[in-house]
Amino acid sequence: MGDERDMSVWDVVVVGAGPAGASAAYAAAVAGRRVLLLEKAELPRYKTCGGGIIGPSRDSLPPGFDLPFKDRINAVTFSLNGKYTRTRRSRSMLFGLINRPEFDAQLVEHAQKAGAELRTGVTVTRVEQHGSAVPDRRTVAVVLQDGETVFARAVVGADGSASRIGAHVGVKLDQVDLGLEAEIPVPETVAEDWRGRVLIDWGPIPGSYGWVFPKGDTLTVGVISARGEGAATKKYLEDFIARLGLAGFEPAVSSGHLTRCRADDSPLSRGRVLVCGDAAGLLEPWTREGISFALRSGRLAGEWAVRVAESHDAVDARRQALNYAFAIKAGLGVEMAVGKRMLGVFERKPALLHAALTGLRPAWNAFARITRGSSSLGELVRTHPMAGRALNRFER
């Protein structure tokens, strides 16, 4: 009997097939483990997301991944609530723009090629690590909506910002923002004007900003600000679209999404269950950039889930899970801490930031280095005393 039961236990079950989940499944499958990837939607599926792929995202993709860029960006136009517009250009590409459905589906394909098994249209209602559903202390029961139970040695929760697995782990969130976005098909003459260039507008609500990302014959136009300002955020998007002269075009898709940032003391695991990406509240607090955080935390979660799966007892499993948390905090956590400080400055003094980016070469160079991935927010503050001092001064 024991042998049969062992056959039906997956090494790693990943819940959610977005960038975080697909990366986790890929990392665990590449290590030669039996991996099951569960996704509640049918793929490909639409996601509210600017779709900017910055350097750290590119560096975290599986080898041989061919990025389906819709545009390559080498110029950024900055404006301060529609005024003081200035465009800065770079000789080399700053970042690329993708459509999420395509990008996500391709990531899942890489996980499958590495050996992960995918099941779509599956909703996970809960996970259990104790009690009658669980055959032994080395096993996690993943209970599906249709009543089926899947068994795993380790579980990775990558089920997005309203995560069921996050609730099980006890993830605590302390910054919630509302993003609103419209995908606007435009005529060729308008598309031509935007090619290779994005717009970033520092908005009228403290901490808010808007963006225009060109993707061939469609412009992705969005705004984001702290939750609780719904009406003002909606008005900002409407004014922004009108100001850009895009009010006459009918959006193909209009959507909204809440982004949630973890509290500093929020757990990243519980028992044999790890969380990553949006499910863990991992994103950059100032720009709310999440794709690179999803890819990087997903890969780490997949690698450490393999070690959790191999753990023979709760003590060993906990040690591996703590190692995962340490790896996240040492990298992404440092960037989040600086991002939080940047957000604080930006909420109080958007004009100062705008003046720096449009008028000071070192500030623009730093922006370019971060988007290209040759540096990070954390690294800049650590390695450039001037940047650290400037941030301290701005905070005062």
Side-chain angles (χ1 to χ4, degrees), residues 200-249:
I200 294 174
D201 178 68
W202 314 113
I205 309 159
S208 70
Y209 75 98
W211 61 88
V212 179
F213 283 2
K215 295 174 188 169
D217 52 7
T218 301
L219 297 178
T220 297
V221 183
V223 300
I224 194 159
S225 72
R227 182 175 74 171
E229 297 279 353
T233 307
K234 200 162 176 255
K235 185 178 184 318
Y236 175 29
L237 180 60
E238 283 163 10
D239 294 349
F240 186 43
I241 288 173
R243 213 162 54 210
L244 293 164
L246 299 171
F249 305 116

Side-chain angles (χ1 to χ4, degrees), residues 66-137:
D66 188 22
L67 272 161
F69 283 146
K70 295 288 162 210
D71 203 346
R72 293 161 194 275
I73 300 306
N74 57 19
V76 182
T77 300
F78 294 101
S79 60
L80 185 62
N81 199 18
K83 298 186 284 288
Y84 311 111
T85 303
R86 172 138 192 230
T87 300
R88 313 256 359 202
R89 295 183 185 281
S90 159
R91 277 193 211 97
S92 55
M93 177 170 108
L94 293 166
F95 56 96
L97 299 177
I98 49 98
N99 279 335
R100 277 289 302 278
E102 228 179 308
F103 176 73
D104 290 15
Q106 204 171 307
L107 274 173
V108 168
E109 257 168 57
H110 273 261
Q112 286 175 288
K113 278 193 201 124
E117 190 170 310
L118 171 72
R119 283 177 61 183
T120 57
V122 179
T123 300
V124 172
T125 47
R126 64 185 191 279
V127 289
E128 291 182 21
Q129 304 196 63
H130 307 288
S132 56
V134 188
D136 59 55
R137 298 306 298 275

